[in-house]
Amino acid sequence: MNMNDYKKVTDRLEPDERCRKEVLDMSKRENKIKQNTTEFEEKVSGVEVRRGNGALRFVGIAAAFALIAGGIGTTGVLLHKNSRNVSQLTEAGEEETVTEELTEEVTEEATESEAGEDYDYEAIAREITDGYLERTNILVYGDVEYDANDTITFYTYDSSDAEWSEKYGGERTFCKVTDERFGSCQDIYDYYKELIANTIEFEGYSEPLIMASDYKDGVTLDGAGVVSYLGGDASGFENGSKVDLYIPDPEDDSTVDYTAHGINGGVYIDYNGELYLRPHDDWGEHYTSEPVIVEDSEDKIVVSRYIDYAMRNEQYGIQKLFTLVLQNGEWKIQSIRTGMQPEYLSSIAIQCYLEDRAEYNDINIDCGDIMAPLEMLEYDEENKTFRVHAVLHDVNGVDAIDVTADIDLNSVKVTSADITRLNEYDGTLKRPSVIWAEEHPDGKE
């Protein structure tokens, strides 16, 4: 409260009450009761982002202010640009003996200020999308702490398919999770869905879906079933035993042993009250761009971020469009849509362009072979055009052509191309697709 506001209030107080207030202020200063709201405001406006549940770092402090302010939402306090009423609200809560008129004045001023302030959309976008990526890497890629020396092992096979068992079955070793945040598959799921709205939406579905509370019924926002990663309770199988994946009656779901399949392909399993992880290679997803606000309103934000996988070499990767909604005073993710994929679409365009020209029949044209060496030269995101460069090899793996191409990502076509041959055309080399066409069993080309 500034000095002018203070004088307006104190001028209306009786002398004995004014003196009592001054004594109270002196007492608070001496005992350091009054909070340092300047430091708090700096922390709030910055909204520092860290891995883990960063938003909960301020819950204790924010809860106290929420009680004093008469129910102001925690997220509303944390993610507003300004917190200039915090000190006033705190004083109102501490000074129970101040007159009702003073309390009403503070409350009215807080209401006006609250209504006039905007959310810091950039801070919200970063906090929520960073938090979601961390949770996805935990659920899908097993990015948690574990003890590599504390293990259990099973051997999976399909008694009805020896060939499959030989190729895809075998040893499945799980390590005990030591991350104190998680003690079960349900814990992993609960942490994953913390930032997800109660009602979620998927592309291609007309009706929204209620987010399940049980991991066995859960789905990810990319549409995959959570049970693909959370294998369930495997305590019924002895450590070191063989696990049969054979399903006696495919028409009867009750005969499906989901836990056996979870052991074979899952990331986590529960075992005798402990959580175990089957470690991945060093995979995972990471952002290749900063969050960009595409749309915002009082209760909705659309955020664009490009994402890539560690095993791929892309500068951009896949655009993800996060729709965030305000739910009970907290921002949550309602849906994630896939946007542009500049490198992938460019490789498709180049593949089609070269396959239509017989002079490049000796080049082993495959989308994956193009993406690996693809370099981004220019990307006009507004007009969706991409200029790329790549050195592509022939079917024997020898560098054959140097390509610089302009791509229209809207139509997925090459609009111009500069191609330099690095060696002579070799007519004896033909792409597999051409060979298959010539040797079609019906004699068709």
Side-chain angles (χ1 to χ4, degrees):
M1 183 179 294
N2 59 40
M3 290 302 298
N4 290 332
D5 292 336
Y6 178 81
K7 286 178 62 63
K8 291 179 183 177
V9 173
T10 55
D11 287 343
R12 293 200 300 268
L13 298 177
E14 294 297 327
D16 59 338
E17 189 171 1
R18 188 187 307 173
C19 293
R20 183 161 46 82
K21 186 178 186 304
E22 291 175 356
V23 171
L24 176 61
D25 286 342
M26 292 173 61
S27 176
K28 287 193 299 181
R29 284 193 294 271
E30 290 177 359
N31 294 286
K32 300 182 180 179
I33 295 175
K34 188 172 182 179
Q35 298 182 3
N36 187 346
T37 57
T38 303
E39 180 182 353
F40 177 77
E41 289 171 3
E42 291 175 354
K43 290 182 179 179
V44 171
S45 75
V47 188
E48 181 183 1
V49 177
R50 293 184 180 177
R51 283 192 171 271
N53 196 358
L56 293 180
R57 290 180 296 121
F58 298 115
V59 166
I61 299 174
F65 284 109
L67 290 173
I68 294 168
I72 296 176
T74 300
T75 304
V77 174
L78 294 182
L79 296 179
H80 274 68
K81 288 181 178 178
N82 301 307
S83 299
R84 61 188 177 87
N85 295 305
V86 173
S87 61
Q88 296 167 358
L89 293 171
T90 303
E91 288 183 8
E94 291 174 344
E95 298 170 16
E96 296 179 358
T97 57
V98 176
T99 64
E100 182 178 355
E101 184 179 5
L102 174 60
T103 304
E104 288 176 354
E105 180 177 330
V106 174
T107 303
E108 289 174 0
E109 183 179 350
T111 302
E112 292 177 2
S113 175
E114 188 75 16
E117 292 175 350
D118 296 326
Y119 284 104
D120 188 340
Y121 294 114
E122 288 77 12
I124 297 169
R126 181 177 295 280
E127 180 86 6
I128 298 296
T129 56
D130 280 357
Y132 177 76
L133 184 68
E134 182 225 359
R135 286 159 171 78
T136 297
N137 283 336
I138 286 174
L139 173 68
V140 178
Y141 299 101
D143 186 14
V144 297
E145 297 176 357
Y146 62 90
D147 185 352
N149 297 315
D150 189 347
T151 64
I152 54 177
T153 302
F154 305 97
Y155 299 87
T156 61
Y157 71 104
D158 185 337
S159 59
S160 68
D161 192 336
E163 183 178 354
W164 182 94
S165 298
E166 184 177 350
K167 288 183 178 180
Y168 306 110
E171 181 179 300
R172 301 290 186 268
T173 297
F174 293 82
C175 302
K176 184 178 177 180
V177 172
T178 57
D179 193 316
E180 295 182 355
R181 295 173 295 175
F182 312 113
S184 67
C185 289
Q186 185 67 42
D187 288 347
I188 297 289
Y189 176 64
D190 288 342
Y191 188 61
Y192 170 78
K193 70 185 182 73
E194 273 185 350
L195 301 179
I196 300 175
N198 293 335
T199 303
I200 55 179
E201 299 175 352
F202 295 96
E203 289 181 282
Y205 289 82
S206 58
E207 296 294 329
L209 178 70
I210 297 176
M211 193 68 177
S213 58
D214 192 321
Y215 78 91
K216 295 176 183 177
D217 302 316
V219 293
T220 70
L221 280 178
D222 285 334
V226 170
V227 291
S228 301
Y229 312 109
L230 304 177
D233 192 350
S235 302
F237 296 92
E238 291 187 12
N239 183 16
S241 66
K242 292 184 177 181
V243 177
D244 191 355
L245 306 181
Y246 174 56
I247 303 172
D249 186 1
E251 296 181 359
D252 184 3
D253 285 345
S254 65
T255 65
V256 177
D257 192 338
Y258 290 105
T259 305
H261 285 268
I263 292 173
N264 182 68
V267 178
Y268 299 92
I269 60 170
D270 295 325
Y271 195 74
N272 292 338
E274 303 284 355
L275 181 64
Y276 285 80
L277 160 78
R278 185 149 66 95
H280 279 49
D281 293 331
D282 188 20
W283 295 353
E285 301 177 6
H286 66 277
Y287 290 124
T288 60
S289 71
E290 295 297 310
V292 175
I293 306 299
V294 176
E295 175 187 342
D296 64 73
S297 63
E298 291 183 358
D299 57 0
K300 179 181 176 182
I301 312 172
V302 178
V303 184
S304 168
R305 291 195 83 166
Y306 283 83
I307 196 170
D308 191 18
Y309 305 94
M311 72 286 286
R312 291 164 64 171
N313 180 29
E314 296 174 313
Q315 184 167 340
Y316 280 88
I318 302 172
Q319 183 188 33
K320 295 291 185 179
L321 295 168
F322 296 81
T323 298
L324 313 183
V325 294
L326 193 58
Q327 174 184 290
N328 298 324
E330 294 184 321
W331 288 96
K332 302 282 188 177
I333 305 173
Q334 187 173 65
S335 68
I336 301 178
R337 294 180 290 115
T338 299
M340 275 291 159
Q341 304 179 59
E343 286 92 351
Y344 174 73
L345 295 178
S346 295
S347 67
I348 293 294
I350 293 173
Q351 180 182 16
C352 294
Y353 180 83
L354 296 177
E355 283 183 344
D356 286 342
R357 290 159 175 76
E359 64 268 31
Y360 302 117
N361 279 352
D362 59 330
I363 307 301
N364 187 14
I365 305 302
D366 177 83
C367 175
D369 290 335
I370 296 174
M371 283 187 67
L374 200 67
E375 300 176 72
M376 186 280 297
L377 301 180
E378 296 177 15
Y379 181 29
D380 185 341
E381 187 169 8
E382 181 178 356
N383 296 311
K384 301 298 185 290
T385 59
F386 209 44
R387 170 167 286 188
V388 297
H389 170 262
V391 175
L392 306 180
H393 52 256
D394 62 25
V395 297
N396 288 332
V398 178
D399 290 349
I401 58 174
D402 186 299
V403 182
T404 299
D406 291 308
I407 314 293
D408 181 351
L409 298 177
N410 295 293
S411 59
V412 195
K413 289 184 178 180
V414 174
T415 57
S416 66
D418 182 6
I419 302 177
T420 302
R421 270 201 167 271
L422 304 178
N423 53 30
E424 296 294 326
Y425 172 78
D426 189 344
T428 64
L429 300 177
K430 295 183 179 180
R431 296 193 299 273
S433 59
V434 176
I435 296 174
W436 295 336
E438 292 178 348
E439 296 180 356
H440 194 281
D442 295 332
K444 298 178 182 179
E445 295 184 0

